[in-house]
């Protein structure tokens, strides 16, 4: 029996009813005979997937990445660390400076202005977090296999893939804010030899004895721990916001108290005092921004008031937003962890179902809450507090989003790994269905891209090979019960690989402007730097052309001006007169040429992905035809 299975079994048996559930019901563990080497191989696959296409235009992200890139580029160009620079009104101090200093150092003060260089630190942070997840689970279970499993789970979450690679703040802030909790987990688990319970179920092997853990530390954490915690909080806040110190400190406070051997007033007061000390140190570190910035009043106005306090109010009213706010409602926020898990959403629901049954079984026997909490192992209490506090805190602001609880996703990965074999196989089958749908959609997009001439036959073949491999893995998971769980995570990571392969042709000749076009564009101006009008439909979206057509002066115009029929043609003519060149995007999928022809000249064109859709653009009728809603032509136009 794997030690991690044994620990989960002991916890379940302690709180389950005396009548054991049926095999496969999510109660007693189901067999999972995946060798450790397979999980190591899957982790290596995850590393390849995460680095593949890292410098591409279409990695999963959100539009804010380009806002941050814009500020970082202009700050680097200024030659000063502070103040931050921006051409956007009231968006100069949208994030603390450490994020932008990271970009400045990664790109050598902008001399290597590439998306790969900007994103590389994020991936490094993400992989370090995955390593911490693996190390903590290995310490808890004494099993390398379980540690590797937990790391693969963390990397398989869609929130990790989406926010753990781009030039965003999720990975750095998650590392620094979670570092004290990782340390607490590591310190709270002390190995001790003890007999292992026998189990005669056919899905588990019998082991006479093994190593289990003494979970309750008897000594409080030293002052040095809390001082280091304050520094970690400060660094995490310096990447994102001082407001994040609140959930981080509250989580640590709860975790320390719940995992203590005895909780009395002395421990409560001491822990509260030291957590407050860490909080003040973190806030003091963050406050250095005000001391170092030449314009602290702008920092207060733009960041503190605009970026943070503004999220506590809503024009429609707080309770209206909380109840009827759709994706920003309290009800949607309760499913934040499920949403962040992506293709593994059903596995998370299976874990929640298992936890609910264990808890209810304990209460049915009349066990008091205090006794129930006291009997739980410390590592479990730490993980539960980690998940609960982050969710509660970020259910309070009027602006809610699943991405706000991303710093708690490592705890979710560890919890799933610890109860891996107790989550019923049917939950993994449900997640496999999501994976199959994703493969079908991606395969169809790749096929249409090939028909449009975006992807070569070889590139389509790569997509189909990867998709076929993922489909084979799914089939093995269905017909080989011992491999169902492993195959689910494997197929999920393969989907990310398929996605990378689908969008990679758009970073090739069909999605870029070649060197000849770049030369012609520079020749339009005596200064060698053309005045280029580019569309933008979101904050700083025009910044993407700094990576596509570098070295030119960009003047952006509203994307919606291209949607106004005959008026759009007049707008285009005006832009052509005022600028050396204009970027114009195909609006109607039936348009085959630029609307200004023959009164203009097409210097070059490329294929782009439409990133923001209006309501009604994607329907059931056109879903199977991605060229109607996903791919657009972009023309680089000059005066005739």
């Amino acid at each position: 029996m794997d030690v991690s299975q044994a620990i989960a079994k002991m916890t379940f048996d302690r709180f389950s009813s005396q009548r054991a559930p049926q095999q496969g019901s999510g109660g007693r563990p189901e067999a999972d005979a995946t060798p450790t080497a397979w999980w190591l191989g899957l982790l290596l696959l995850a590393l390849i997937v995460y680095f593949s296409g890292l410098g591409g235009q279409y990695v999963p992200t959100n539009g804010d990445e380009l806002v941050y890139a814009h500020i970082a580029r202009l700050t680097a160009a200024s030659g000063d660390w502070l103040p931050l620079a921006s051409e956007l009104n009231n968006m100069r101090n949208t994030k603390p400076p450490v994020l932008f200093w990271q970009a400045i150092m990664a790109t050598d003060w902008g001399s290597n202005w590439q998306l790969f260089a900007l994103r590389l630190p994020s991936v490094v942070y993400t992989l370090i977090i995955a390593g911490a997840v693996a190390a903590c689970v290995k310490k808890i279970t004494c099993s390398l296999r379980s540690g590797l499993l937990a790391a693969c789970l963390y990397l398989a979450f869609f929130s990790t893939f989406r926010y753990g690679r781009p030039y965003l703040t999720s990975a750095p802030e998650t590392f620094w804010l979670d570092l004290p909790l990782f340390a607490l987990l590591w310190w709270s688990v002390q190995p001790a030899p003890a007999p292992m319970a026998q189990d005669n179920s056919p899905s588990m092997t019998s082991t006479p004895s093994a190593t289990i853990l003494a979970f309750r530390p008897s000594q409080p954490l030293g002052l040095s721990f809390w001082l280091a915690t304050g520094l970690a909080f400060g660094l995490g806040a310096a990447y994102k916001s001082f407001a994040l110190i609140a959930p981080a400190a509250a989580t640590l406070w709860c975790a320390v108290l719940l995992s203590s051997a005895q909780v009395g007033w002395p421990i409560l007061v001491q822990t509260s005092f030291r957590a407050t000390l860490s909080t003040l140190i973190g806030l003091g570190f963050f406050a250095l921004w005000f001391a170092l910035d030449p314009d602290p009043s702008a920092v207060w106005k733009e960041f503190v008031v605009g970026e943070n306090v503004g999220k506590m109010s809503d024009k429609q009213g707080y309770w209206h937003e909380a109840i009827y706010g759709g994706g920003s409602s309290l009800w949607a926020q309760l499913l934040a962890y499920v949403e962040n898990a992506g293709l593994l959403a059903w596995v998370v629901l299976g874990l929640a179902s298992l936890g609910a049954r264990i808890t209810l079984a304990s209460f049915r026997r009349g066990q008091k809450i205090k006794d129930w909490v006291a009997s739980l192992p410390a590592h479990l209490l730490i993980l539960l507090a980690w998940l609960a506090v982050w969710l509660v805190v970020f259910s309070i602001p009027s602006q809610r989003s699943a991405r706000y609880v991303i710093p708690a996703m490592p705890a979710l990965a560890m919890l799933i790994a610890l109860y891996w074999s107790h989550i019923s196989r049917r939950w993994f089958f449900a997640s496999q269905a999501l994976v199959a749908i994703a493969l079908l959609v991606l395969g169809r997009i790749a096929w249409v891209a090939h028909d449009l001439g975006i992807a070569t036959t070889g590139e389509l073949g790569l997509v189909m090979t990867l998709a076929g491999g993922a489909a084979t893995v799914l089939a093995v998971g269905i017909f080989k019960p011992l491999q169902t769980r492993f195959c689910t995570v494997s197929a999920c990571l393969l989907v990310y690989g398929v996605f990378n392969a689908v969008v990679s042709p758009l970073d090739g000749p069909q999605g870029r402007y070649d060197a000849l076009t770049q030369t012609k564009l520079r020749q339009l101006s005596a200064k060698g730097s053309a005045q280029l009008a580019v569309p933008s439909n979101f904050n700083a979206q025009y910044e993407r052309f700094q990576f596509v057509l570098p070295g030119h002066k960009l003047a952006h115009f509203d994307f919606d001006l291209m949607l106004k029929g005959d008026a759009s043609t007049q707008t285009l003519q005006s832009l052509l007169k005022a600028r050396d060149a204009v970027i114009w995007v195909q609006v109607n999928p039936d348009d085959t040429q630029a609307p200004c022809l023959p009164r203009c000249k097409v210097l070059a064109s490329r294929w782009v992905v439409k990133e923001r859709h209006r309501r009604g653009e994607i329907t059931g009728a056109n879903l199977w035809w991605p060229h109607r809603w996903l791919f657009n032509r972009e023309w680089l136009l000059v005066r005739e």
Side-chain angles (χ1 to χ4, degrees), residues 226 253 257 266-279:
W226 294 98
W253 180 82
L257 290 177
I267 296 295
L268 178 62
V269 171
Q270 183 186 69
T271 303
S272 300
F273 172 79
R274 292 185 172 184
T276 301
L277 177 62
S278 295
T279 300

Side-chain angles (χ1 to χ4, degrees), residues 413-428:
M414 288 186 275
L415 204 58
I416 294 175
L418 291 173
Y419 290 88
W420 183 244
S421 296
H422 290 263
I423 302 173
S424 176
R425 193 176 291 113
R426 62 174 177 266
W427 297 103
F428 291 86

Side-chain angles (χ1 to χ4, degrees), residues 412-597:
L412 183 61
M414 288 186 275
L415 204 58
I416 294 175
L418 291 173
Y419 290 88
W420 183 244
S421 296
H422 290 263
I423 302 173
S424 176
R425 193 176 291 113
R426 62 174 177 266
W427 297 103
F428 291 86
F429 287 149
S431 283
Q432 286 184 341
L434 293 179
V435 172
I437 293 172
L439 287 174
L440 181 63
V441 172
L442 290 173
R444 176 58 182 172
I445 291 173
W447 193 273
V448 171
H450 176 260
D451 287 345
L452 293 175
I454 300 173
T456 64
T457 302
E459 290 168 333
L460 175 63
L462 175 61
V463 172
M464 294 305 169
T465 299
L466 291 174
T472 301
V473 169
L474 288 178
V476 171
I478 293 173
F479 296 106
K480 296 286 187 180
L482 295 180
Q483 309 302 336
T484 297
R485 292 168 174 79
F486 175 81
C487 289
T488 302
V489 182
S490 301
C492 180
L493 287 168
L494 282 171
V495 165
Y496 299 155
V498 172
F499 177 90
N500 290 339
V502 169
V503 299
S504 65
L506 290 159
D507 288 310
Q510 294 299 319
R512 296 277 187 179
Y513 294 109
D514 59 22
L516 180 59
T517 299
Q518 302 273 10
T519 300
K520 291 180 179 178
L521 192 58
R522 287 193 293 269
Q523 292 172 348
L524 294 176
S525 173
K527 299 180 180 180
S529 177
Q531 297 282 332
L532 185 61
V534 299
S536 183
N537 60 353
F538 192 64
N539 293 329
Q541 278 296 302
Y542 58 88
E543 186 69 22
R544 67 186 185 274
F545 292 101
Q546 292 291 344
F547 303 101
V548 178
L549 294 169
H552 302 286
K553 186 171 179 58
L554 304 180
H556 62 278
F557 62 92
D558 190 348
F559 183 92
D560 290 341
L561 292 176
M562 297 188 295
L563 307 177
K564 297 183 177 180
D566 293 338
S568 67
T569 303
Q570 298 175 2
T571 298
L572 177 54
Q573 292 297 338
S574 299
L575 291 171
L576 286 169
K577 292 178 182 178
R579 307 294 175 184
D580 294 322
V582 178
I583 293 289
W584 200 260
V585 180
Q586 176 188 22
V587 175
N588 190 324
D590 295 323
D591 294 338
T592 58
Q593 62 180 16
C596 60
L597 292 175

